[in-house]
Amino acid sequence: MNRVETRAFFFGIAAALAACGDERIEAPADPEIVEGQEALYGDLNTNSCTLAQRNVLVEAHQAGQQIALTKEFDACLRHRMMEWYKPCFQGSDDPFANQPRSTQYTKARDIMRSGNMADVTVTCADLDGDRVGEAQYDRYGDSHEQVRIDRGYLDGVAVAGMNDYERADVAGVLWHEAMHQQDYRHDSCGYPAGEYERGFNSVPYIADRCMRSAGILGRAIVSTDDGRAQELGIGRHRASQGHLGGVGDNRIARVRLPPASRMRYCVDEGVSGAGVTCATVENPTIEYGGAHVVPDAFRNAISFVELEPLVLLFSQQDYRGNASAFRYGEHRANTGGFSKVGNDQTRSIYVPPGARVRVCTDEGGTSGHGFGTCRFYDEPTPTGVLAGISYAEVVPVVTAFTAKDLYGARASFGAGRWAGAALNAIGDNRIVSLVVPQSLTARVCSDAGNGNTGAGACQSHTRTTFDLGTGLAGAVSFLEVTPALLGTSTLSVVRASGSGAGRVVSTPLNLDCTSSCSAAFPTRSEVLLLASSPGHDAVFTGCDSVLGNGCFVTMTNARTVTVNFVRNNADGCRDSCLDLCQEDGRLLPHQCEQKCDAQCR
């Protein structure tokens, strides 16, 4: 069966919009090997290809082998196979067409991963019309796949120079055609008109789509009107620091987001380098986002970009059903944070690199920090998650990978120093690439040194790096993760006019006052203010949340909180006063009575 591709050009390279013809292509049983064919890496052969075309295919095939083994590829495949797949029954059935859906998923997954072992022969050819690839039907379990790829398509990729999206796009074509060789189809498949769409319901297109989605994990693609493109990983990117060199300052016109991500782009970096005059765009799904056209107010005016991961909680297994997307911070069902997924309804969790989520069965109150049974997740988990989740806290972590471009095995690390056995989650001398969120700094060294402080060749990173480079890639024996310096913000406590006497103490202990006062706290930190006054109740205004005499404030910027101590009943006042006075121990009992009688009149 032909795979006829109509490709809409994105950044000058194809983004798939596909349609297939009905004519069957017969490939010879034993294709002739032309002079100059090379076996590359033992599992990809090319036929009638130029050096540039062959290089594109080699890079794409290598990337596809890595992508097919990722949890993100599996997540996309699970979701699409369980939610969208419709097996063909017309003519020759899809493999395992009459088996349970779970079997269909595992069989498709296994054969897509077997591309890591099966030989593939790609013939570069001039295909008709808009076709970019074609292959004949063979049988499930075929160990030598033979496909034809359009020369013009490959030349277009080679001329532009491949980024990860384009590399994954070519890999998607290869895996799509390989699925035809495994006897998966996408014609009408025996369904009534309007009930089958091959772009959603067929295994070849599912493989194609998931290859591209997982292939740009942890990075966005930004582009200009003149076709230049650049990958931007998790973290902050400032034009003044040369971070937008691939596209240039004030030149971004379109963006494409990776799975489970949020981008903030700004026309000015601001004095603190955190962005000023900004807009945001989100992709709260487990697949890559469509091309987002930057609005006119920001088009060709962007100097700052911040990419942040989102943690997704789903109401059904296999990343299906309703979903809530959570940024860094705390989220509680009893304050409306679980309105989409539902309280106690989470059945699967998608965690992209750069994030870790702690989930609990109880919020611990409207301003609590999680209570009851709690668990941590730092990778996609399709089934078996903690039951009864009503609280989630998402924190930034550094995610390390064993291959460049954020491929290979991975492990996540919070603040601290990691060396020796502590690196066992990923292994000594194995780290090659890193996801580093905007609030963290990762320092990697070739030696732990005396006292595990890092020695030898060292690098520090405040943004995602796709390759540590010669000297450190695959040679890291020490990793230190520290919070990035974000500056401070001032918290002011003001006693209301007419208020009674009282005391306000902060945690952390920067404030302790009986009148108006102020102090500096780390930006983005959470501060708890506790008020005490015998015979008085504290009434706060300006808090993010209040619980009893406690006020919670997140220091996103300078904040002001007003407290009013309101007298309660006199008996309660005297009892509280006596308790505090006697605990203090500086006055005799009769002196405490005199003091409290006067204070609580």
Side-chain angles (χ1 to χ4, degrees), residues 20 62 82 148 172 305 356 437 456 576:
C20 282
Q62 285 184 300
M82 303 301 287
R148 288 155 56 90
V305 176
R356 174 180 289 152
S576 296

PDB file of all heavy atoms in Angstrom, residues 20 62 82 148 172 305 356 437 456 576:
ATOM      1  N   CYS A  20      -3.557   8.470   1.707  1.00  0.00           N
ATOM      2  CA  CYS A  20      -2.973   7.321   1.006  1.00  0.00           C
ATOM      3  C   CYS A  20      -3.763   6.989  -0.244  1.00  0.00           C
ATOM      4  O   CYS A  20      -4.978   7.124  -0.284  1.00  0.00           O
ATOM      5  CB  CYS A  20      -2.936   6.099   1.920  1.00  0.00           C
ATOM      6  SG  CYS A  20      -1.598   6.174   3.090  1.00  0.00           S
ATOM      7  N   GLN A  62      18.713   6.460  13.744  1.00  0.00           N
ATOM      8  CA  GLN A  62      19.301   6.398  15.076  1.00  0.00           C
ATOM      9  C   GLN A  62      18.395   7.059  16.111  1.00  0.00           C
ATOM     10  O   GLN A  62      18.187   6.534  17.210  1.00  0.00           O
ATOM     11  CB  GLN A  62      20.669   7.085  15.080  1.00  0.00           C
ATOM     12  CG  GLN A  62      21.771   6.281  14.428  1.00  0.00           C
ATOM     13  CD  GLN A  62      23.101   6.991  14.568  1.00  0.00           C
ATOM     14  OE1 GLN A  62      23.270   8.116  14.102  1.00  0.00           O
ATOM     15  NE2 GLN A  62      24.046   6.346  15.213  1.00  0.00           N
ATOM     16  N   MET A  82      -5.262   2.738  22.947  1.00  0.00           N
ATOM     17  CA  MET A  82      -6.395   2.442  23.816  1.00  0.00           C
ATOM     18  C   MET A  82      -7.595   3.343  23.515  1.00  0.00           C
ATOM     19  O   MET A  82      -8.742   2.948  23.732  1.00  0.00           O
ATOM     20  CB  MET A  82      -5.989   2.597  25.283  1.00  0.00           C
ATOM     21  CG  MET A  82      -4.811   1.726  25.705  1.00  0.00           C
ATOM     22  SD  MET A  82      -5.078  -0.051  25.481  1.00  0.00           S
ATOM     23  CE  MET A  82      -6.218  -0.391  26.816  1.00  0.00           C
ATOM     24  N   ARG A 148      10.607   2.957   0.490  1.00  0.00           N
ATOM     25  CA  ARG A 148      11.093   3.950  -0.465  1.00  0.00           C
ATOM     26  C   ARG A 148      10.746   5.336   0.072  1.00  0.00           C
ATOM     27  O   ARG A 148       9.612   5.577   0.494  1.00  0.00           O
ATOM     28  CB  ARG A 148      10.437   3.733  -1.833  1.00  0.00           C
ATOM     29  CG  ARG A 148      10.948   2.503  -2.560  1.00  0.00           C
ATOM     30  CD  ARG A 148       9.930   1.957  -3.551  1.00  0.00           C
ATOM     31  NE  ARG A 148       9.490   2.931  -4.530  1.00  0.00           N
ATOM     32  CZ  ARG A 148      10.062   3.151  -5.726  1.00  0.00           C
ATOM     33  NH1 ARG A 148      11.142   2.438  -6.066  1.00  0.00           N
ATOM     34  NH2 ARG A 148       9.593   4.035  -6.562  1.00  0.00           N
ATOM     35  N   GLY A 172       9.532   9.376  11.876  1.00  0.00           N
ATOM     36  CA  GLY A 172       8.115   9.032  11.806  1.00  0.00           C
ATOM     37  C   GLY A 172       7.731   8.430  10.467  1.00  0.00           C
ATOM     38  O   GLY A 172       6.932   7.491  10.395  1.00  0.00           O
ATOM     39  N   VAL A 305      12.391  34.065  26.435  1.00  0.00           N
ATOM     40  CA  VAL A 305      11.504  32.900  26.365  1.00  0.00           C
ATOM     41  C   VAL A 305      11.764  32.028  27.598  1.00  0.00           C
ATOM     42  O   VAL A 305      12.919  31.773  27.957  1.00  0.00           O
ATOM     43  CB  VAL A 305      11.746  32.066  25.087  1.00  0.00           C
ATOM     44  CG1 VAL A 305      10.866  30.813  25.103  1.00  0.00           C
ATOM     45  CG2 VAL A 305      11.464  32.890  23.839  1.00  0.00           C
ATOM     46  N   ARG A 356       9.028  16.935  39.267  1.00  0.00           N
ATOM     47  CA  ARG A 356       8.685  15.821  40.143  1.00  0.00           C
ATOM     48  C   ARG A 356       7.413  16.218  40.887  1.00  0.00           C
ATOM     49  O   ARG A 356       7.261  17.361  41.291  1.00  0.00           O
ATOM     50  CB  ARG A 356       9.812  15.520  41.124  1.00  0.00           C
ATOM     51  CG  ARG A 356       9.474  14.465  42.179  1.00  0.00           C
ATOM     52  CD  ARG A 356      10.656  14.231  43.110  1.00  0.00           C
ATOM     53  NE  ARG A 356      11.732  13.530  42.406  1.00  0.00           N
ATOM     54  CZ  ARG A 356      13.020  13.657  42.721  1.00  0.00           C
ATOM     55  NH1 ARG A 356      13.394  14.462  43.711  1.00  0.00           N
ATOM     56  NH2 ARG A 356      13.936  12.970  42.045  1.00  0.00           N
ATOM     57  N   PRO A 437      15.661  23.201  34.944  1.00  0.00           N
ATOM     58  CA  PRO A 437      14.635  24.239  35.000  1.00  0.00           C
ATOM     59  C   PRO A 437      15.208  25.592  35.425  1.00  0.00           C
ATOM     60  O   PRO A 437      16.322  25.686  35.953  1.00  0.00           O
ATOM     61  CB  PRO A 437      13.650  23.708  36.057  1.00  0.00           C
ATOM     62  CG  PRO A 437      13.941  22.257  36.173  1.00  0.00           C
ATOM     63  CD  PRO A 437      15.404  22.114  35.890  1.00  0.00           C
ATOM     64  N   GLY A 456      38.168  18.096  39.111  1.00  0.00           N
ATOM     65  CA  GLY A 456      38.426  17.752  37.719  1.00  0.00           C
ATOM     66  C   GLY A 456      37.752  18.729  36.780  1.00  0.00           C
ATOM     67  O   GLY A 456      37.560  19.900  37.098  1.00  0.00           O
ATOM     68  N   SER A 576      -5.831  33.065  78.823  1.00  0.00           N
ATOM     69  CA  SER A 576      -4.727  33.009  77.865  1.00  0.00           C
ATOM     70  C   SER A 576      -3.544  33.821  78.349  1.00  0.00           C
ATOM     71  O   SER A 576      -2.391  33.407  78.223  1.00  0.00           O
ATOM     72  CB  SER A 576      -5.181  33.541  76.495  1.00  0.00           C
ATOM     73  OG  SER A 576      -6.196  32.725  75.946  1.00  0.00           O
TER      74      SER A 576
END
